[in-house]
Amino acid sequence: MPALKKTAVTVISAALLSAFVVSPASAVGKDASDDRPKPPSDMSKVGGELLGRAGTQVKLGPDAPVLPKDLTGRSWIVADAESGQVLASHNPHWRLPPASTLKMLFADTVMPALQPKTQEYTVKDEDLADLGEGSSLVGVKEKLTYTVHDLWLGVFLRSGNDAVHVLSSMYGGVPKTVDAMQAHAEELQALDTKVVSPDGYDAPDQVSSAYDLTLFARSGLQKADFREYCSTAEAQFPGAEKKGKRESFGIQNTNKLLTGADGVTPYKGLAGVKNGYTTHAGNTFTGVAERNGKVLLVTVMNPSSDKAHAVYNEAASLLDWGFDASGKVTPVGELVPPKSATTGTGKGPAAGQEKDEGRNGPARTAGTAAAENDGGGAGIALGIAAGALVLLAGGVFLVNRRWPLPDLMRRRPRR
C-alpha cells in the first residue's frame, strides 16, 4: 500500500529522473558547461518549497508526457490559471530583469484609477522627457490629445514606453506610479519584484521573476479592460492633425504568438498577455491560453537558444505540454492569492482588484488571436475559465468564476 500511494503521488522513472536532475543550488556564478549564470541559492519559496529550488521541478504521473526537449529559458513556469496549481517550473523565483513584461504590473496597478477610458489628455513636453534611449514607442506626440483607451492600446500593442509615461503622468507622475506598482506587487505577494521604472526599461536593480510575472498576469486578467487590450491583435492609433482632421495609423501587437507575425505560428487559443525584450533582460514572455475549458499561464524568461523566436517557441511547447499533462502530474507549488486574501483583512475585492461585472461591455478585439496557416479560417479563443480574485468578508479567496474573454474576430491580422 505505501508503494502504491507513492506511485499515485509521483512516478518518475529512472530514465526520466536522469533528464530532470536538479543541480545543487549555488551562488550566482558562471556554469562552465554553457557559460551562463547559475540561479542563486537563496531563492524565494513563496508558493511552495520546491519552487525555491534550482533547476527543473516536475512530478510526473504514470501517463504524463515528458517535458519538451531543448528548453533554454533561464527561468520558466507553467500554471493552471483557475486553480493556481504550478504544473512544472524551472528556477521560477530567479530575480531577473523583466523588460516590458513589467507593463502587466503597471497596467494592473494604474488601470482602475484611470476611468473612464474615454477621458482625454493633452500630452505635455515633460511627459516624454525621460524616455530611455532606444525605447519602444507607439508614436505619442507632445501637444496632441489622446484618450486613455488610445494610450492603453499603445502600451499593450506596441509596448510603447511613451504611452506608459503619459499614463504615469495622468496617475500622478512616475515616482508615484513606481511606488504604487511596488506596493501592489507586495500585495500580490510578488516579492521577487523591485520596480524602478514603470515601463520595464532596463534600470539598476530592477528585477522580477517568472513566478511574479505570472501573478501579475493572473491578477490583471480579472479586469475586462486588461483582457481586451492584451488580446487585441491590431488597432488604429491617432496620428497628426492635418488640415483640421486627425489622421490615424495602424498598429499591430508585438506578441507574435497572438498575431503570427514574422513567420511565428500563432498559438490557437492564445489570449495575451505580454512580451518584452531589452539587451539586459533578453526576451521575456507571459501568455495565457485556453483549450477545452482548461486555461494555462506560462512565463519564459531569457532563453539562450540562438534560434529565431525562441521565447515564443518554448512558450508554445510548454503550453502544449501543460494541456497534455493536466490531471497527470502532481503540482509542485501554487500561485498564491493576494496578501489581504490570506490574512482576511479588508472587505470587497482584493486590493488592486476592481469588481468586474461587465461594466465595460463585451470586450472586442481589433484582430484575431490566432490565425491558421492554411488561410481557410482562423483559430479563435472562445472563452477563458479561470479564478476571480475575490476577497469576501471572511478572507475567502475564490477561484471558481469564469472570465468572459472576448471572442476574437475570425480573420487574419492585416499586414
Side-chain angles (χ1 to χ4, degrees):
M1 184 63 71
L4 180 60
K5 182 178 181 181
K6 182 177 181 181
T7 300
V9 173
T10 173
V11 175
I12 305 180
S13 69
L16 289 176
L17 187 59
S18 64
F20 301 123
V21 169
V22 177
S23 301
S26 62
V28 174
K30 291 291 185 179
D31 186 329
S33 64
D34 61 8
D35 199 36
R36 301 195 78 207
K38 293 181 181 179
S41 59
D42 57 348
M43 290 187 291
S44 168
K45 294 179 173 57
V46 172
E49 191 272 336
L50 290 178
L51 300 184
R53 295 184 185 179
T56 302
Q57 305 299 326
V58 65
K59 295 183 178 181
L60 300 174
D63 300 321
V66 298
L67 281 165
K69 297 179 180 179
D70 302 324
L71 294 174
T72 68
R74 191 170 293 184
S75 173
W76 54 259
I77 189 171
V78 185
D80 186 304
E82 183 174 22
S83 68
Q85 294 178 341
V86 176
L87 306 184
S89 68
H90 181 77
N91 306 322
H93 280 296
W94 194 349
R95 303 180 77 197
L96 298 166
S100 286
T101 44
L102 193 65
K103 289 181 172 76
M104 294 186 294
L105 174 62
F106 169 74
D108 194 38
T109 303
V110 172
M111 194 173 286
L114 300 183
Q115 297 291 342
K117 58 186 177 182
T118 54
Q119 68 175 290
E120 297 182 337
Y121 180 80
T122 300
V123 178
K124 305 178 181 65
D125 291 345
E126 55 266 31
D127 296 336
L128 303 176
D130 297 321
L131 293 174
E133 183 179 355
S135 285
S136 54
L137 305 172
V138 66
V140 174
K141 301 298 182 184
E142 300 89 340
K143 300 179 178 61
L144 292 182
T145 299
Y146 301 86
T147 66
V148 169
H149 176 73
D150 294 331
L151 294 168
W152 283 123
L153 287 172
V155 170
F156 277 92
L157 273 68
R158 295 303 303 167
S159 206
N161 291 1
D162 47 357
V164 169
H165 279 250
V166 173
L167 288 165
S168 296
S169 295
M170 296 179 69
Y171 189 75
V174 168
K176 178 181 177 180
T177 302
V178 167
D179 288 345
M181 289 170 65
Q182 188 67 57
H184 188 45
E186 292 170 7
E187 156 62 20
L188 295 176
Q189 301 200 67
L191 305 183
D192 300 322
T193 297
K194 181 177 179 180
V195 183
V196 179
S197 67
D199 49 27
Y201 187 87
D202 285 338
D205 300 322
Q206 179 157 271
V207 291
S208 190
S209 68
Y211 185 88
D212 285 9
L213 294 175
T214 307
L215 290 182
F216 302 152
R218 194 181 188 217
S219 179
L221 286 164
Q222 314 301 322
K223 299 172 175 62
D225 285 346
F226 188 105
R227 295 194 300 270
E228 175 188 354
Y229 295 128
C230 80
S231 62
T232 298
E234 57 181 16
Q236 290 292 308
F237 193 80
E241 290 185 2
K242 292 185 178 180
K243 298 181 179 180
K245 183 178 180 181
R246 190 76 179 268
E247 297 183 340
S248 66
F249 56 91
I251 57 175
Q252 187 180 68
N253 204 310
T254 56
N255 179 350
K256 294 178 174 59
L257 277 189
L258 189 69
T259 64
D262 299 331
V264 175
T265 301
Y267 194 87
K268 188 174 183 179
L270 191 91
V273 182
K274 192 71 186 75
N275 58 297
Y277 173 80
T278 65
T279 302
H280 193 45
N283 287 288
T284 59
F285 176 78
T286 297
V288 63
E290 181 268 344
R291 183 180 295 175
N292 298 325
K294 178 67 67 175
V295 185
L296 297 183
L297 283 161
V298 64
T299 295
V300 177
M301 301 186 76
N302 199 354
S304 63
S305 173
D306 57 3
K307 295 180 180 178
H309 314 305
V311 75
Y312 297 113
N313 294 331
E314 293 185 22
S317 65
L318 283 168
L319 283 170
D320 284 343
W321 175 85
F323 286 121
D324 290 342
S326 181
K328 302 173 184 177
V329 297
T330 298
V332 295
E334 66 171 346
L335 301 177
V336 294
K339 188 184 299 182
S340 55
T342 62
T343 61
T345 59
K347 294 183 179 182
Q353 300 299 328
E354 63 179 297
K355 187 177 182 182
D356 183 357
E357 294 181 339
R359 62 171 176 77
N360 297 311
R364 303 296 301 178
T365 62
T368 178
E372 294 176 355
N373 291 328
D374 60 11
I380 185 168
L382 297 175
I384 185 168
L389 304 184
V390 179
L391 178 63
L392 303 181
V396 180
F397 187 69
L398 302 182
V399 286
N400 59 7
R401 186 164 68 88
R402 295 184 69 85
W403 292 344
L405 197 83
D407 288 349
L408 302 175
M409 298 174 67
R410 294 177 179 271
R411 62 180 175 85
R412 291 182 182 274
R414 292 187 296 272
R415 296 288 187 254

